[in-house]
Amino acid sequence: INLREEGQSQQDQRTTREALRFFFSPEGNVFREFILEEIVSFVDASGREASQEVMMALGLNNLPMPSLIRAMNPTLSSEDKRSVQQMRKLAQFLVGDFEGAISPSSDGVQRNSERLRTLVPVIREYAPQLREFGTLLGVRLSEKAISRGLNWASSRLVTQ
């Protein structure tokens, strides 16, 4: 590591530490809730997008699907697609890949991986809070799936 990269690494660690300190502080609660909801929407839409791509790749997208499967995996809206693209660009931007946020490249991915590796000690400092945030993310994603399933079940009861 040259001196410039080492200086950048130390600056990245300071910036990340301050950001996480605010994010997990009481003052960061509103921001944390907003980010949680945005991540839930992104992960949900990305998962649906991926499953639909797999179905198309396997040639299964033209087969009749049970209504429960369709209810649990609704087609992505244009807003969902836009959200996925925006979150990908935001993630690139947040890890410092300003060029990749404009146009992705494999070189940018490698640089970001190296840069993120230098942040591991800071991330470890906030491991308990990050685990709790991850748990909340899992709960909210589960709530979304359960809600879809219950909506499907209630619509079946009403129509019969």
Side-chain angles (χ1 to χ4, degrees):
I1 297 179
N2 66 37
L3 290 177
R4 184 174 183 210
E5 288 175 352
E6 190 173 312
Q8 181 65 52
S9 174
Q10 290 173 352
Q11 179 62 38
D12 286 350
Q13 287 182 359
R14 278 193 301 275
T15 302
T16 302
R17 189 173 282 113
E18 283 303 311
L20 289 172
R21 187 174 295 136
F22 169 75
F23 188 75
F24 290 115
S25 73
E27 295 82 20
N29 188 50
V30 172
F31 183 65
R32 201 167 46 251
E33 282 296 316
F34 171 76
I35 293 295
L36 181 63
E37 288 307 314
E38 289 299 310
I39 292 172
V40 165
S41 295
F42 168 71
V43 170
D44 176 62
S46 293
R48 288 185 288 135
E49 179 182 53
S51 67
Q52 290 166 8
E53 287 176 6
V54 167
M55 297 289 283
M56 285 175 43
L58 297 175
L60 302 174
N61 57 322
N62 293 325
L63 294 177
M65 286 288 153
S67 61
L68 176 60
I69 301 297
R70 287 193 313 271
M72 297 299 287
N73 191 26
T75 303
L76 284 141
S77 68
S78 59
E79 184 177 328
D80 289 335
K81 291 176 185 177
R82 191 173 55 252
S83 172
V84 168
Q85 286 298 88
Q86 289 172 343
M87 285 296 282
R88 286 180 181 151
K89 287 183 185 287
L90 178 61
Q92 287 177 310
F93 179 79
L94 290 175
V95 297
D97 183 12
F98 307 117
E99 297 295 323
I102 299 167
S103 62
S105 70
S106 60
D107 184 42
V109 171
Q110 175 146 359
R111 271 195 321 265
N112 288 337
S113 295
E114 292 167 5
R115 199 167 175 192
L116 287 172
R117 238 179 263 119
T118 66
L119 297 176
V120 169
V122 176
I123 301 300
R124 283 188 183 136
E125 291 174 28
Y126 287 89
Q129 295 95 325
L130 288 165
R131 270 193 294 279
E132 183 179 334
F133 189 76
T135 300
L136 282 173
L137 177 61
V139 167
R140 298 274 174 94
L141 285 166
S142 298
E143 287 173 350
K144 196 171 264 240
I146 290 168
S147 174
R148 283 190 187 120
L150 290 173
N151 286 338
W152 172 83
S154 66
S155 73
R156 304 294 289 178
L157 291 173
V158 171
T159 58
Q160 291 181 355

